[in-house]
Amino acid sequence: MVGYSLLLIVILSLVAYYVGRGSARRFAGGAGSDKVHSLPGYHGAFIAVWVGIPAFVLVVLWASFQGAMLDNLVISSLPQAFTDGKSPAELNLALSEIRNLASGRIFGEPAPEIRAAAERLLAWQHIASWAMVVVAAALMILVLVFARTRIAPRFRARNNVERVLSALMVFCSVVAILTTVGIIVSLLYESIAFFRLVPIHEFLFGLKWEPQIAIRADQVAGAGAFGAVPVFAGTLLISAIALIVAIPIGLFTAIYLVEYADDRVRNVVKPIMEILAGIPTVVFGFFAVLTVAPAIREAGGLMGIATSPNSALAAGFVMGIMIIPFISSLSDDALRSVPRAMRDGSLAMGATASETMTKVLLPAALPGIMGGILLAASRAIGETMIVVMAAGLIATLTINPMDSVTTVTVQIVSMLIGDTSFDSPKTLAAFALGLVLFIVTLGLNILALQIVKKYREQYE
Amino acid sequence: MADVALATRDVPTPEFQTVRTPDPHPRPTKVKADNVKVFYGQKQALNGVSIDIPVKSVTAFIGPSGCGKSTFLRCLNRMNDTIDGCRVEGEILLDNRDIYDASLDVVELRARVGMVFQKPNPFPKSIFDNVAYGPKIHGLARSKAELEEIVVSSLQKASLFNEVKDRLHEPGTGLSGGQQQRLCIARTIAVSPDVILMDEPCSALDPIATAKVEELIDELRENFTIVIVTHSMQQAARVSQRTAFFHLGTLVEEGPTDHVFTNPSERRTQDYITGRFG
Amino acid sequence: MSETALTGPVDWTSDQAAGRRRSRHAANRRLQFYGIAAISTAVGLLGILIATLVIGGYPAFFQTKLTIDFPIKAEYVDAADPAAGNYRNVVRDALRELAPEATTPAQQRQLGQLLTNNAQFFVRDAVVANPSVIGRTLTLTLPAADPIDQLNKGLIDRDLPESQRRVNDLQLGYYDTLVAGGRVSAPFNWALFFNSDSRFPELAGLAGAITGSFYALLICFLISFPVGIAAAIYLEEFAPRNRWTYLIEVNINNLAAVPSIVFGLLGLAVFIQIFGIPRSAPLAGGMVLALMTLPTMIIVTRNALKAVPPSIREGALGVGASKHQVIMHHVLPLALPGILTGTIIGLAQALGETAPLLLVGMNAFITSPPGGILEASTALPTQIFIWADSPERGFTSRTSAGILVLLGFLIVMNGIAIFLRQRLERRW
């Protein structure tokens, strides 16, 4: 139905455009046409935007909230006898059964109340969808008729259309803000619900993380299974390994490209780095599981070190490969933005290339490089697929890279993957972890961008 | 300008003969260039320059922009090596040794032939570290005290010491433009080079700072052989003993400064000096 | 201070000076070597990665097939209702004919495991499509079961003791009989592109995932392209420079660096919980991807707009065009190639995103391509994730093959972007 409504909107907007343009042409060609303010096309566009946009907004809003409203209606329409003594979770379960039934998926033998509710839901859905089409059509025709009367030689159709366009553009640029607000609100909302079940200090400072066990609500508070410190520690361990791998490789690559490589080498190496940067993280994850983890395990076995099959080293190493291009390109930028005069000055003193690099260029570019490393660290902390595939699920508090550790992102995915009811502490904990992740990466990014910006200003 | 340049390059001119006027009291030659040609990729920037640069005096290179004077200057300490696709032919002798010879270390060459650039380019370090940079990398000081002595005496020779003695450990980038340029000169003389190349050292400075630097150049020729590229003919006339006039990649005329300025032998030199082009 | 020996002429030719220079040059060569080593490491790792994928994924582009004669006996299949026939027995009998030596039920079970588990359905479909074969013999070329596929590709070592081998001696014998009879072939595996997911590696394909990715990218494009361009035009051309627009800009830059999984959480909480979009639907995935792509879209569009020289704007304003007309008629068309290039690169990034799609449930087990944007579906990267997690051996190779297909799409998209940039982008 939404599809048909949108099609209807497009058709009626086109009709509106031609109607508007047609009536504007009538006076545009005639006597005194020099007094016409706007071109006929703008009159058409004027009617079209006023016909199309409100209807579009109406349909989108209707479609967004129809489901939730109907759910409420269905719940409240259930007989008293059926709902009595049922927890919200059970009601939710009943609701999803009704929904399934209404969309033709039948499991087992549904209760008669459920069956009746499903029929009601189906009927209401039918009515609501048609109502949406009818209301939208009526709105558009009403606007069309009214706007048609506004068309006159001196009517400033162009200004009106441009004002509408400007408003649309402002709205679009606010979408980015709305996204941020949406992220913050949804994370906060669920996290607060979680902190009602598990005290915030226990979450932030607790040393034991066992959400798999604490599925039952009565187990939560006493067991203290939501202490996230081991999860944070695991995240830091893997990110640190990644940075230890990526910083030297990335930095030396940048140094070589800036100071030693000629154009030929640069034209080969740079695209290769871009390819490395463009590889989806799921591919790196598979590489970690299939190749790197077994290799590390074998190497560990040869050296007589007990190595977990999903060691932090494997995940961290592959994550390091992933962020090499990131560090090399940001360091390259930073080194290149040191004015050439510095380099010439040093070389003219008889310094070698390495002296110029280590004593002049690197110190001068250090803030920029630091900014890049912070951005890379924020990437590593927020990276998901590699660790989901290659790191462990059990939260162990260790700094041994051969052990298996878990990370914030792994826990989020493992707690939300599959169908869990939305208000269990396990699900809510994922949002609390998401909130921590968001705050930490945001902090790192702001800091890094600030450093890089300050540094740029220094040379501009 | 551009049209003239194209015309001369399209027509294969016979080897150009530089007009030379010898010094009345000739000094020994420090740097001797013979038929130096420079190419940037396919483009030829310098067509066979030959010149003798006398020791412990100031030689000025003048000429309109794009004439090759800076290019030639940068050949003298092989700074052209740092530009991709630049090729140098011919022979340049420093104390009778070919500086493009494979056995000569470019690091040693640049220590002996220092360079001061058009725009002051102090490193983003303290004043002290700026001057100490050269002695440190070349290992000229055996102790901290010696290093300090070198820094102080270099700053003194660059007539900067009195202005900065209280803030030796503040960043060199905080100085005024003229002070920065003198700091760069101090940095260069801290490694005791034989030759100092100056590429329009005053073009970014105000007149008062320019006067100070010029005064300094005049003092420095006591101990150093100086080659200066300048846009300003007055400056060339004020500071140099010999002047070489470049045009379109060739060395047109060279001779004692007062001769070149008062009685040039070449018509093009005269046209340039009297302001008919350039 | 008097002239000291220190700043007097330095003896550059002394042995000491020469030695010092040697060690300095050695330090220089060391740094250069570190650089080369770093680049070689990075390039080498990329090489290993790609080599692993190609070597691992190459076999999955071919599928071992067995050509078998199925006698369609009337006792099993009723001509009136061919769909309801007993095709299990048809398959069993056909295999028995191939290897009459298999007499015990255990042997026959081993024999049955040569063919794909779904063999009976292939036969049924063929008979339903052409009921005239009932009573005659139908010859079909069907996928072999995964272990036989591996064996035929040489991935199973025949010399291993039986207990460590996934194909036992009995099956090995049957397989050799089939090979001798010319009944084993390994054509190009079109099923990889035309089948959807399956529990059986030999039948699993990417069609559902590719369709799902297509729908999700379509949604992503339909939202992020217009919104991104409109936002960029506003910020670049109209917005006054004040704290409000500064806030928007900072916000966009930071949004570009928010971990993708956080967008997944947003999608789960808002699009699925509040808006009630069905889980696993490409609509939800596409909307999440759109929000993630939006900052990229805005940034590339702004750069493209910035590259249009002000002289063009001034020229158009000078002939009396309104600011909107200047932008719509002149600036935007000139910036379009740059915008398109950036869009394709943004979409390529979105195509490879996995984590947010996991959270909105696009990792479901779905055996048919989605019919629309509201039907449950997987996407290419999530399909790869599912296969990588599957224990069956055959899926390892499918995973690599799936990755190669994904990388192929990315290469094509980036190739188009590079082509556009070189062909259309104007330099002023």
Side-chain angles (χ1 to χ4, degrees), chain A residues 42 64 158 162 166 169-170 173 176-177 180 182 256 260 276 286-287 290-291 350 354-355 416-418 422 441 445, chain C residues 24 28 36 38-39 46 49 52 234 238 251 257 259 265-266 273 275 279 322 324-325 354 363 388 396 400 403:
Chain A
Y42 279 107
S64 308
R158 180 171 58 74
E162 288 179 355
S166 295
M169 286 192 285
V170 172
S173 44
I177 298 256
T180 309
Y256 187 82
Y260 295 101
L276 201 54
F286 182 61
F287 182 56
L290 189 75
T291 312
S354 68
E355 284 158 354
L416 289 181
I417 226 166
F422 212 64
T441 51
N445 290 334
Chain C
R24 287 171 62 199
N28 185 35
I36 293 174
I39 291 176
L46 179 66
L49 170 63
T52 327
Y234 177 73
F238 291 97
N251 176 55
L265 288 173
L266 173 74
Q273 290 299 318
F275 291 170
R279 248 182 112 83
S322 75
H324 279 266
Q325 286 169 326
T354 323
N363 58 335
T396 313
S400 300
I403 288 175

Side-chain angles (χ1 to χ4, degrees), chain A residues 206-365:
Chain A
L207 297 181
K208 207 162 169 218
W209 178 264
E210 278 164 1
Q212 283 78 8
I213 300 167
I215 292 171
R216 288 209 320 276
D218 53 311
Q219 233 172 344
V220 173
F226 282 103
V229 169
V231 180
F232 298 149
T235 309
L236 290 183
L237 177 64
I238 289 182
S239 306
I241 294 171
L243 289 177
I244 289 170
V245 171
I247 290 174
I249 297 181
L251 196 55
F252 279 122
T253 299
I255 287 176
Y256 187 82
L257 289 182
V258 169
E259 192 60 47
Y260 295 101
D262 55 20
D263 282 344
R264 214 163 35 92
V265 176
R266 232 169 282 153
N267 290 340
V268 175
V269 175
K270 282 213 155 175
I272 290 180
M273 287 293 165
E274 275 166 33
I275 292 175
L276 201 54
I279 290 179
T281 53
V282 68
V283 178
F284 282 112
F286 182 61
F287 182 56
V289 180
L290 189 75
T291 312
V292 177
I296 286 178
R297 195 160 181 223
E298 212 150 284
L302 283 180
M303 287 185 286
I305 307 168
T307 312
S308 155
N310 37 21
S311 60
L313 185 58
F317 180 77
V318 173
M319 197 189 274
I321 301 177
M322 184 199 82
I323 54 179
I324 288 171
F326 205 67
I327 292 196
S328 81
S329 82
L330 286 170
S331 307
D332 192 293
D333 286 351
L335 287 171
R336 239 168 248 288
S337 64
V338 178
R340 199 190 152 83
M342 295 292 137
R343 190 165 163 260
D344 282 356
S346 171
L347 289 175
M349 306 275 303
T352 61
S354 68
E355 284 158 354
T356 304
M357 176 52 71
T358 54
K359 299 203 165 97
V360 178
L361 297 190
L362 267 184

Side-chain angles (χ1 to χ4, degrees), chain A residues 167-181, chain C residues 227 231 234-235 244 248 251-252 294 298:
Chain A
L168 267 183
M169 286 192 285
V170 172
F171 171 76
C172 287
S173 44
V174 173
V175 167
I177 298 256
L178 289 181
T179 308
T180 309
V181 172
Chain C
V227 174
Y234 177 73
L235 292 174
W244 177 236
I248 295 182
N251 176 55
I252 288 170
L294 195 57
I298 296 177

Side-chain angles (χ1 to χ4, degrees), chain B:
Chain B
M1 252 307 292
D3 293 343
V4 178
L6 281 177
T8 45
R9 235 158 256 159
D10 284 347
V11 184
T13 46
E15 202 69 0
F16 186 80
Q17 214 55 50
T18 307
V19 181
R20 299 175 197 279
T21 316
D23 242 329
H25 315 289
R27 286 162 171 273
T29 301
K30 184 77 185 172
V31 180
K32 183 179 174 64
D34 189 21
N35 198 17
V36 174
K37 295 174 181 168
V38 178
F39 303 85
Y40 292 118
Q42 296 298 313
K43 222 183 90 195
Q44 186 166 1
L46 220 53
N47 337 319
V49 172
S50 304
I51 188 171
D52 290 358
I53 292 164
V55 73
K56 294 200 174 165
S57 67
V58 179
T59 305
F61 292 171
I62 60 169
S65 35
C67 67
K69 53 193 193 303
S70 284
T71 302
F72 181 61
L73 189 78
R74 291 169 69 92
C75 290
L76 300 182
N77 69 345
R78 292 181 52 178
M79 277 305 280
N80 279 335
D81 291 10
T82 65
I83 297 167
D84 284 341
C86 178
R87 189 158 52 82
V88 179
E89 284 178 10
E91 197 181 45
I92 300 173
L93 303 177
L94 172 66
D95 290 336
N96 288 322
R97 242 181 108 195
D98 185 356
I99 66 166
Y100 280 89
D101 188 77
S103 72
L104 189 124
D105 189 347
V106 69
V107 163
E108 177 198 334
L109 170 74
R110 290 185 189 147
R112 292 178 60 187
V113 184
M115 187 160 193
V116 175
F117 293 83
Q118 186 168 4
K119 239 180 103 194
N121 58 349
F123 302 132
K125 300 165 175 285
S126 72
I127 294 169
F128 184 92
D129 286 340
N130 259 287
V131 183
Y133 180 72
K136 265 190 198 158
I137 58 171
H138 291 295
L140 300 184
R142 274 168 303 238
S143 67
K144 234 183 141 199
E146 262 185 35
L147 185 66
E148 262 170 47
E149 219 177 319
I150 294 176
V151 170
V152 169
S153 86
S154 305
L155 284 170
Q156 279 170 336
K157 284 192 204 156
S159 343
L160 187 63
F161 186 68
N162 289 334
E163 293 163 57
V164 300
K165 63 183 169 202
D166 302 325
R167 43 177 173 148
L168 282 180
H169 295 283
E170 283 170 35
T173 41
L175 298 173
S176 73
Q179 286 173 326
Q180 283 189 12
Q181 194 61 301
R182 276 179 286 145
L183 177 63
C184 290
I185 294 175
R187 188 174 76 183
T188 307
I189 60 185
V191 283
S192 318
D194 301 349
V195 183
I196 300 176
L197 310 176
M198 297 189 175
D199 191 356
E200 303 190 27
C202 301
S203 63
L205 305 183
D206 62 67
I208 294 170
T210 301
K212 276 199 171 159
V213 172
E214 283 179 6
E215 208 175 301
L216 175 60
I217 292 171
D218 205 46
E219 285 168 20
L220 290 176
R221 86 179 143 94
E222 297 278 319
N223 295 311
F224 304 97
T225 305
I226 293 172
V227 184
I228 177 170
V229 164
T230 175
H231 234 90
S232 142
M233 272 157 302
Q234 290 87 339
Q235 186 171 61
R238 279 194 300 266
V239 301
S240 73
Q241 282 74 55
R242 285 183 74 80
T243 295
F245 171 62
F246 285 74
H247 186 216
L248 298 176
T250 50
L251 174 55
V252 176
E253 174 165 5
E254 58 117 353
T257 298
D258 38 5
H259 173 80
V260 171
F261 275 91
T262 52
N263 187 18
S265 317
E266 250 286 323
R267 212 180 59 85
R268 275 189 287 169
T269 317
Q270 188 172 4
D271 286 352
Y272 179 66
I273 284 166
T274 53
R276 257 176 244 167
F277 73 91

Side-chain angles (χ1 to χ4, degrees), chain C residues 204-261:
Chain C
L206 293 166
I210 291 174
T211 321
S213 269
F214 172 76
Y215 281 135
L217 280 194
L218 186 69
I219 300 290
C220 170
F221 173 77
L222 287 179
I223 296 175
S224 66
F225 187 72
V227 174
I229 289 183
I233 292 178
Y234 177 73
L235 292 174
E236 193 59 38
E237 307 280 346
F238 291 97
R241 294 273 164 264
N242 58 23
R243 290 181 63 184
W244 177 236
T245 48
Y246 176 74
L247 179 74
I248 295 182
E249 269 173 45
V250 169
N251 176 55
I252 288 170
N253 284 335
N254 281 317
L255 212 52
V258 168
S260 59
I261 193 167

Side-chain angles (χ1 to χ4, degrees), chain A residues 148-169:
Chain A
R148 169 76 182 69
T149 62
R150 296 283 303 275
I151 304 283
R154 295 306 302 156
F155 177 62
R156 297 175 172 243
R158 180 171 58 74
N159 304 35
N160 195 304
V161 170
E162 288 179 355
R163 265 203 304 281
V164 173
L165 280 183
S166 295
L168 267 183
M169 286 192 285

